[in-house]
Structure formats: structure tokens, C-alpha cells
């Protein structure tokens, strides 16, 4: 855990840098209101006042000019007259759905990933900005939280379990998971060590124990062999495009058929089940195609850690409640055809940006990519 005093000193040091780096003059802006709510000066202003021994009655008024003074033309500050120049108001940026590039400027990626394919289908412009122009969002790195934090934490523990042994019995896996939980909590989910988080920490441990027991119980009950965790797989199609991805849990059934289980942590499993029912489970379809062959077809499934639920394509060793009527081969062919069509447009110089549908409009069958997109201020959808 960060030392709070040390963190405070670091924060104060970051405030000082702007002042220390000013070579000739320094102008500080102090908003009086924000949305009608009164604002106080930044805490660093108190440090400046104290360091310079400024007086609220004499010094500060002499070195201050208000916005109302500027608007009235009385902008006199430190022996300088400050004049205002009118600026024409720009029209609000509107969403631009079609963008153009020189023909041949955009090409394929050497190795495409399932997540890259998903981004391309949901919004070609976002894919170009990300993978071709290499433009990424600027900002301070933030610690993950909520389901993202829990999912990453539990995922890492299951990965460690599989790396340690391929033949866990459920009860032994749970006992080891508890040890890993205690060892890893401080480095991966330190928020659960804060005062007042005791109940949440016990709840998280309970859910992890439940998920690990169910996961390895299912593997044992279906007589599946665990091959690897985070297995890197790739395959090149007939057109020469290589696809690569990382499988959470790579398994094999008694006949040697490849089995792919992709672990997810979310509040509800409904979305993943609908993906398979609608034939848009792109990630599973891609992984199964990479491992598939005519003699030994691959089976794919989502394992929902929070719900201890398996959502799978047809597999003879699974109970009916775990099976969804879907054809992952057909999903892959559909996705690849769409991917190739979009790539062809991009190579011709036509780049489409896809905005969320208006009321009454039909949504992209893969959903909108705008929810977690960093480029809304580029295409204009972020201004609407």
C-alpha cells in the first residue's frame, strides 16, 4: 500500500513543477464557479501565498484581474493593459461517418488477433487509428477495479494452478487457490486489504473457492486433459492472413479433440450465451478454427467464473444445460468474410466510422464499439 505522506509529497512536488519551470512569467487561472457552484482556489495557491507572504488585502488584489474586469474593458494588470479580442464561435463537431485515405496506404496486419477483428468489424476507423496509425489514448494509468480487477485476479490464480499441475483434484485445487489468494492479494487486489473491506474480502475468497472447485470438478467429470493455460496459437488461412491468439484454458477430450475454454467474470452470463446463440462468438470461433482439423473438430466454451456456469458449443461429454445450439465453424466463416470485405475497402482508401444506432435503427450485430472507444472525439460521436 502507498504511504499516504509520501503520496502527498509527490503530489505537492508535481504542483511545484509548473512554477519552477516558468522562465519569464506565470499566469494562474482561478475559476470562480463551475456549473453555478462556487469554487475554491487550488490547494497549491495556499502554498504560494504562504511562501511569498502575500496579503489578501493588498498584494493579491494588485496582482489579480477578474473576468468581469476584462469583459468591461478594464483589464489593467501589473502595468499592462490586457485587451480582449472577439473569437468566432465554432460550430459543434458532428459525427463523420466516412473517411478517406490514399489507396494502398492501409494494409493488413502481419498477425491479426480476435480482439483486432472485433474492433475492425465494430468500427473500421477505430481499427485504423489503433493498429495502423498507432494512436493511443493519453492519460494517467489507473488501477483496475470492479469486475475487471476481480476477473484479472481470479484468472491469474487459475493460470498459476494450471501451470503448477495438469491433474488437480477439486479439493486440492481449492486449498492451493486459498494459498495463492493470500499471497497475491497485496500485489494484485490491494484494495481488498483496506480497513472496512473485510466482508468484501471474505466474499471474494468464497466466490474464488466456489469457482475453482466447480471448474476443476467439471474438467475431472468430463474426463478432459488440461494441456496449457494462456496457450499461444496461430494459423494462416488460404489468403495468406495469419491469425494469432491466447487461449485461457486449452484442453483435450478422450478422443483427442481440442477443447477451448475462455474464462470470463461478469455480473451476468446472459450476454455470452446470446453471443453463441446469435452466432457472433468471434473469439471462441477463432480459437476453434486455429486448432481445428477435419478429423478432430474443436469444441469451444465460455466458463463464467462468477456464476460457475459453462456455456458451450455441442460436445458429447457435456450435460444438455451447458450446451448452446451454435455452429462455431459457420461463425468463423461469416466473420472472416466480413473481415476480408472491410480490409478490401480500407486498402482502396475507404474508411468507415460506425456510430451507435439512433432510436429505431438496427444495431450492428456485433454491438457498438463506442462504449469503450478512445476515439469518440476524433470521429465526432463523443460530441453528440
Amino acid at each position: 500500500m502507498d504511504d499516504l505522506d509520501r503520496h502527498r509529497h509527490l503530489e505537492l512536488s508535481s504542483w511545484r513543477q509548473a512554477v519552477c519551470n516558468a522562465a519569464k512569467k506565470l499566469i494562474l487561472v482561478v475559476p470562480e464557479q463551475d456549473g453555478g457552484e462556487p469554487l475554491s482556489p487550488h490547494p497549491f495557491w495556499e502554498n504560494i501565498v504562504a511562501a511569498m507572504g502575500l496579503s489578501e488585502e493588498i498584494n493579491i488584489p494588485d496582482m489579480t484581474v477578474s473576468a468581469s474586469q476584462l469583459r468591461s474593458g478594464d483589464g489593467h494588470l501589473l502595468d499592462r493593459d490586457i485587451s480582449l479580442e472577439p473569437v468566432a464561435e465554432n460550430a459543434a463537431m458532428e459525427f463523420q461517418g466516412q473517411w478517406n485515405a490514399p489507396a494502398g496506404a492501409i494494409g493488413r496486419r502481419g498477425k491479426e488477433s480476435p480482439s483486432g477483428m472485433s474492433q475492425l468489424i465494430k468500427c473500421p476507423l477505430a481499427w485504423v487509428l489503433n493498429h495502423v496509425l498507432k494512436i493511443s489514448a493519453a492519460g494517467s494509468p489507473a488501477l483496475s477495479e470492479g469486475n475487471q480487477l476481480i476477473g484479472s485476479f481470479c484468472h491469474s490464480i487459475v493460470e498459476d494452478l494450471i501451470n503448477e499441475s495438469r491433474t488437480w483434484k477439486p479439493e486440492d485445487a481449492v486449498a492451493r487457490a486459498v494459498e495463492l489468494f493470500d499471497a497475491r492479494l497485496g500485489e494484485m487486489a490491494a484494495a481488498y486489504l483496506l480497513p472496512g473491506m473485510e466482508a468484501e474480502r471474505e466474499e471474494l475468497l468464497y466466490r474464488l473457492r466456489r469457482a475453482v472447485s466447480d471448474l476443476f470438478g467439471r474438467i475431472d467429470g468430463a474426463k478432459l486433459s488440461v494441456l496449457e493455460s494462456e496457450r499461444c496459437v496461430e494459423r494462416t488461412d488460404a489468403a495468406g492472413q495469419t491469425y494469432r491468439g491466447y487461449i485461457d484454458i486449452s484442453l483435450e477430450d478422450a478422443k483427442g479433440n481440442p477443447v477451448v475454454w475462455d474464462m470470463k467474470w461478469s455480473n451476468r452470463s446472459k450476454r455470452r450465451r446470446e453471443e453463441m446463440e446469435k452466432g457472433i462468438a468471434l473469439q471462441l470461433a477463432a480459437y476453434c478454427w486455429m486448432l481445428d482439423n477435419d478429423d478432430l473438430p474443436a469444441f469451444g466454451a465460455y466458463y463464467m467464473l462468477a456464476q460457475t456456469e459453462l456455456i458451450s458449443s455441442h460436445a458429447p461429454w457435456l450435460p444438455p444445460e451447458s450446451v448452446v445450439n451454435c455452429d462455431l465453424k459457420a461463425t468463423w466463416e461469416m466473420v472472416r468474410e466480413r473481415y476480408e470485405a472491410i480490409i478490401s475497402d480500407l486498402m482502396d482508401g475507404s474508411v468507415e466510422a460506425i456510430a451507435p444506432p439512433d432510436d429505431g435503427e438496427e444495431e450492428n450485430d456485433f454491438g457498438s464499439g463506442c462504449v469503450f472507444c478512445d476515439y469518440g472525439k476524433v470521429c465526432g460521436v463523443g460530441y453528440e
Side-chain angles (χ1 to χ4, degrees), residues 112-121 243 282 332 335-336 339:
E112 186 60 273
S113 65
S115 60
M117 297 181 76
S118 177
Q119 185 178 48
L120 181 78
I121 291 172
Y243 300 90
L282 186 157
W332 173 251
V335 167
R336 195 161 61 88
Y339 177 85

Side-chain angles (χ1 to χ4, degrees), residues 80-99:
R80 293 173 180 265
D81 289 323
I82 303 173
S83 59
L84 290 182
E85 295 180 4
V87 177
E89 182 178 350
N90 291 325
M93 183 175 176
E94 295 182 351
F95 170 72
Q96 181 177 333
Q98 189 61 43
W99 299 68

Side-chain angles (χ1 to χ4, degrees), residues 145-276:
E145 57 185 13
N147 284 337
Q148 183 183 7
L149 170 64
I150 297 172
S152 298
F153 181 52
C154 295
H155 189 291
S156 72
I157 289 178
V158 173
E159 182 181 349
D160 282 353
L161 288 171
I162 292 174
N163 289 337
E164 290 181 12
S165 174
R166 306 288 193 269
T167 57
W168 285 107
K169 293 297 181 184
E171 60 274 14
D172 297 330
V174 169
R176 179 58 179 150
V178 172
E179 295 175 353
L180 291 171
F181 179 92
D182 293 334
R184 285 287 192 85
L185 196 65
E187 64 186 57
M188 291 197 67
Y192 284 88
L193 292 173
L194 290 170
M197 292 292 287
E198 292 82 6
E200 288 81 358
R201 186 165 64 247
E202 288 302 316
E203 172 68 13
L204 177 57
L205 178 57
Y206 168 78
R207 298 178 78 178
L208 173 66
R209 290 166 56 96
R210 179 169 170 261
V212 168
S213 177
D214 181 79
L215 173 64
F216 287 96
R218 288 178 184 272
I219 293 173
D220 189 49
K223 294 181 171 51
L224 300 176
S225 300
V226 178
L227 301 181
E228 195 174 345
S229 176
E230 287 297 309
R231 178 184 178 185
C232 179
V233 292
E234 64 177 55
R235 182 177 174 181
T236 303
D237 65 13
Q241 175 67 58
T242 299
Y243 300 90
R244 179 173 64 180
Y246 293 86
I247 298 174
D248 285 350
I249 306 178
S250 177
L251 308 107
E252 192 175 80
D253 69 10
K255 295 182 179 180
N257 296 79
V259 180
V260 174
W261 284 7
D262 191 47
M263 292 185 290
K264 302 293 183 185
W265 185 289
S266 62
N267 291 329
R268 296 189 303 169
S269 60
K270 179 181 178 182
R271 174 188 159 203
R272 299 301 178 180
R273 182 174 292 276
E274 288 179 346
E275 278 185 7
M276 298 190 72

Side-chain angles (χ1 to χ4, degrees), residues 293-305:
N293 65 59
D294 294 335
D295 297 326
L296 296 170
F299 303 105
Y302 289 122
Y303 183 74
M304 310 303 295
L305 289 159

Side-chain angles (χ1 to χ4, degrees), residues 93-101 120 122-126 128 342 345-346 349-356 370 375-376 378-382 384:
M93 183 175 176
E94 295 182 351
F95 170 72
Q96 181 177 333
Q98 189 61 43
W99 299 68
N100 297 311
L120 181 78
K122 291 178 179 179
C123 183
L125 176 64
V128 170
I342 298 173
D345 289 340
L346 294 178
S350 176
V351 183
E352 184 183 10
I354 302 177
C370 296
Y375 307 110
V378 177
C379 70
V381 74
E384 295 185 350

